[in-house]
Amino acid sequence: VLRWDASTTLAWDPVAGATRYNVYRGDLESLPGDYGDCRNGSDPDPTDTAYEDAEIPQPVGTAFTYLVSVTVNGTEETLGRASDGTERTVTTPCP
């Protein structure tokens, strides 16, 4: 679910066994390959299933991309696969 107003709110279904959700935000122009940086530092509760981003992309007409990974048993799971089937990896994983 993605909602735009004064902020962007992301929400997702819980994953069994998850202890934390890691949100990555990047710039649309950086795709493919750069999936952004970890936003957990601006998330008051990375254990819940929502993230609110108060920043609006600038300049007008640009956009952010978001991906969410899950941590289970102390290990961060994959960010999934890109449309061409390659594994998505981040250059700087969440701490």
Side-chain angles (χ1 to χ4, degrees):
V1 174
L2 180 58
R3 222 179 40 227
W4 282 95
D5 45 39
S7 63
T8 301
T9 302
L10 304 167
W12 52 89
D13 292 331
V15 174
T19 56
R20 183 173 78 175
Y21 299 93
N22 305 302
V23 176
Y24 292 90
R25 186 185 81 187
D27 295 317
L28 189 59
E29 295 81 27
S30 301
L31 293 177
D34 182 1
Y35 299 104
D37 60 336
C38 180
R39 305 304 291 178
N40 287 5
S42 62
D43 188 353
D45 185 3
T47 65
D48 69 4
T49 57
Y51 173 76
E52 185 173 349
D53 191 349
E55 291 182 50
I56 304 297
Q58 296 296 324
V60 173
T62 61
F64 293 136
T65 61
Y66 297 90
L67 286 173
V68 179
S69 71
V70 62
T71 298
V72 177
N73 295 325
T75 302
E76 183 174 7
E77 301 291 324
T78 179
L79 287 171
R81 295 190 177 277
S83 59
D84 66 0
T86 58
E87 187 82 19
R88 290 183 181 126
T89 58
V90 290
T91 55
T92 307
C94 288

